[in-house]
Amino acid sequence: MLMKDGMNSRLLLDCAKSCILASSPVFRRQQFLIRCVGGSIDHQPHSRNMQALRSIEVDSESLIRAITPALDPTRHKGQAGNIAVIGGCREYTGAPYFAAISALKIGADLSHVFCTKDAAPVIKSYSPELIVHPILEESYSVGDENKRSVSSKVLAEVDKWMERFDCLVIGPGLGRDPFLLDCVSEIMRHARQSNIPIVIDGDGLFLVTNNLDLVSGYPLAVLTPNVNEYKRLVQKVLSSEVDNVDAPQELLSLAKQIGGVTILRKGNSDLISDGDTVKSVSIYGSPRRCGGQGDILSGSVAVFLSWARQHILTADSNSNLSCKNPTVLGCIAGSAILRKAASLAFLNKNRSTVTGDIIECLGKSLEGISPAS
């Protein structure tokens, strides 16, 4: 009798342990994994996503060699690219400098910055290489009665230069002042009328997300959102949350919904789509995530976009480029060069790598792919 009672007690204890184990999160996760391994349904979205990215990976180095113009002594100043950055205010002077100087380091001949009067002396002090225009105004310096006339003067000043530019970069260091954003909106509309490509980053994406008509249906517009900027775009345009499982298809849908703009979704692998195709750039860059790398990217994309556009206009029908959209080509090239420069900078500086170190590696990275001589 005592033996039977002892066996029953042990049985009850074992059952209690089993119940506790079955209710634990660890046990439930183990059971889930077992079902996944044994089941016929594919429960490995991360693996599928990685396979999808590999299938759309592009040969960025061949593309860069194809669109990078030769250094020809017969060419004159400006033919290798004339880029303008619209951005820079009291709080933010580094971002427009990074974008503009990166354009020069890639190989553009001229690089302009249109900024507020407060930002201009600071940006000028960073480098004599940049052409700085202190013409933008913020609300605090403009009375309500003068806003219309000041806005007209700002637009007229930019219009004097507009036809000379091969590409505009909108947003680095722009800030979110309402009057300033209204002026920049008008600049964007005039750029569209002149058929000038625009690369939109930083606070320019804040402006566009709230005013999609500024870029909707414009095939020469490029958006370069980071993870948070992309999330806001998806919520606004697709009325959903970000789908990381089928990221390429989601990006394709997003670009198509905005009317065929090109979107460069920044991430571990950069995804690029114009609504017709999706490309991936997965070259290893750097684990160092210092601020300013997005500004380097926007300036680099602007130059490569202008080079790609010129290449497509002048290349014969035997061009070996499978993609003929200059905005997509510019994004691929800009992404690849930034990643290579970041990797090279990190090899030299490791944890202390900053944006300036990456900028100094842009030229060497391009030279390694498309030698000047």
Side-chain angles (χ1 to χ4, degrees):
M1 185 71 177
L2 289 173
M3 183 180 293
K4 187 174 182 180
D5 288 343
M7 291 178 63
N8 287 339
S9 297
R10 286 196 300 273
L11 183 61
L12 288 171
L13 182 61
D14 290 341
C15 287
K17 288 180 178 178
S18 298
C19 290
I20 294 171
L21 180 61
S23 65
S24 72
V26 174
F27 179 82
R28 290 198 301 271
R29 286 196 293 269
Q30 288 174 339
Q31 292 301 303
F32 175 74
L33 289 172
I34 291 170
R35 289 197 302 273
C36 289
V37 172
S40 59
I41 300 174
D42 181 5
H43 289 289
Q44 297 177 331
H46 179 71
S47 298
R48 290 204 312 267
N49 197 28
M50 292 305 295
Q51 291 171 359
L53 293 179
R54 283 194 292 269
S55 70
I56 57 177
E57 183 74 14
V58 68
D59 183 359
S60 56
E61 293 196 6
S62 295
L63 185 155
I64 290 170
R65 280 190 287 270
I67 66 175
T68 301
L71 290 177
D72 186 344
T74 65
R75 293 165 70 91
H76 58 76
K77 181 175 64 178
Q79 284 188 300
N82 193 346
I83 308 301
V85 176
I86 313 294
C89 61
R90 282 185 300 171
E91 289 86 357
Y92 308 115
T93 57
Y97 164 75
F98 289 146
I101 202 69
S102 295
L104 288 179
K105 292 290 187 177
I106 291 292
D109 288 337
L110 296 166
S111 193
H112 300 247
V113 177
F114 290 83
C115 60
T116 65
K117 293 175 181 177
D118 290 331
V122 182
I123 297 172
K124 285 175 182 280
S125 73
Y126 293 151
S127 173
E129 306 288 348
L130 306 179
I131 304 169
V132 181
H133 306 263
I135 65 164
L136 301 181
E137 298 279 5
E138 295 181 85
S139 298
Y140 77 91
S141 63
V142 183
D144 290 341
E145 69 280 4
N146 297 322
K147 284 185 177 179
R148 180 172 294 182
S149 62
V150 171
S151 179
S152 297
K153 288 179 182 178
V154 169
L155 192 58
E157 186 64 30
V158 177
D159 275 349
K160 290 194 306 187
W161 295 87
M162 188 74 78
E163 295 294 338
R164 308 183 195 189
F165 298 138
D166 296 300
C167 187
L168 300 185
V169 179
I170 307 284
L174 186 62
R176 298 185 180 183
D177 178 80
F179 178 71
L180 179 54
L181 293 181
D182 287 343
C183 291
V184 172
S185 296
E186 288 303 312
I187 291 171
M188 292 175 67
R189 292 187 180 99
H190 280 231
R192 285 190 66 162
Q193 292 170 6
S194 300
N195 213 34
I196 295 172
I198 49 178
V199 177
I200 303 163
D201 188 44
D203 289 320
L205 290 168
F206 170 81
L207 172 62
V208 164
T209 302
N210 293 308
N211 301 273
L212 288 170
D213 62 294
L214 291 172
V215 295
S216 182
Y218 188 48
L220 291 177
V222 174
L223 313 183
T224 60
N226 61 23
V227 60
N228 291 318
E229 293 158 346
Y230 183 76
K231 179 181 178 180
R232 288 192 287 268
L233 267 175
V234 169
Q235 290 172 338
K236 179 68 179 287
V237 178
L238 301 180
S239 300
S240 65
E241 295 301 319
V242 174
D243 179 8
N244 289 315
V245 175
D246 199 3
Q249 184 58 47
E250 179 185 67
L251 182 63
L252 191 76
S253 300
L254 182 62
K256 190 174 295 184
Q257 281 285 96
I258 308 178
V261 301
T262 295
I263 302 175
L264 192 167
R265 179 188 176 182
K266 295 180 281 195
N268 289 335
S269 293
D270 289 344
L271 285 176
I272 300 150
S273 179
D274 59 356
D276 289 327
T277 185
V278 182
K279 303 295 183 184
S280 172
V281 178
S282 303
I283 297 169
Y284 182 73
S286 164
R288 182 79 168 97
R289 301 308 308 149
C290 55
Q293 294 183 64
D295 305 312
I296 299 176
L297 179 65
S298 62
S300 302
V301 168
V303 179
F304 282 117
L305 192 167
S306 65
W307 287 353
R309 200 178 183 203
Q310 188 64 30
H311 173 80
I312 291 169
L313 288 173
T314 58
D316 57 33
S317 58
N318 295 322
S319 175
N320 59 359
L321 290 175
S322 58
C323 174
K324 303 296 183 183
N325 186 340
T327 57
V328 173
L329 298 176
C331 286
I332 293 169
S335 170
I337 283 296
L338 170 59
R339 286 167 173 266
K340 285 184 172 294
S343 177
L344 186 58
F346 186 76
L347 284 175
N348 296 328
K349 297 297 183 70
N350 299 303
R351 195 181 295 273
S352 68
T353 304
V354 293
T355 303
D357 300 320
I358 300 172
I359 290 172
E360 289 306 312
C361 291
L362 289 171
K364 187 173 182 180
S365 298
L366 181 55
E367 183 67 15
I369 298 172
S370 180
S373 57

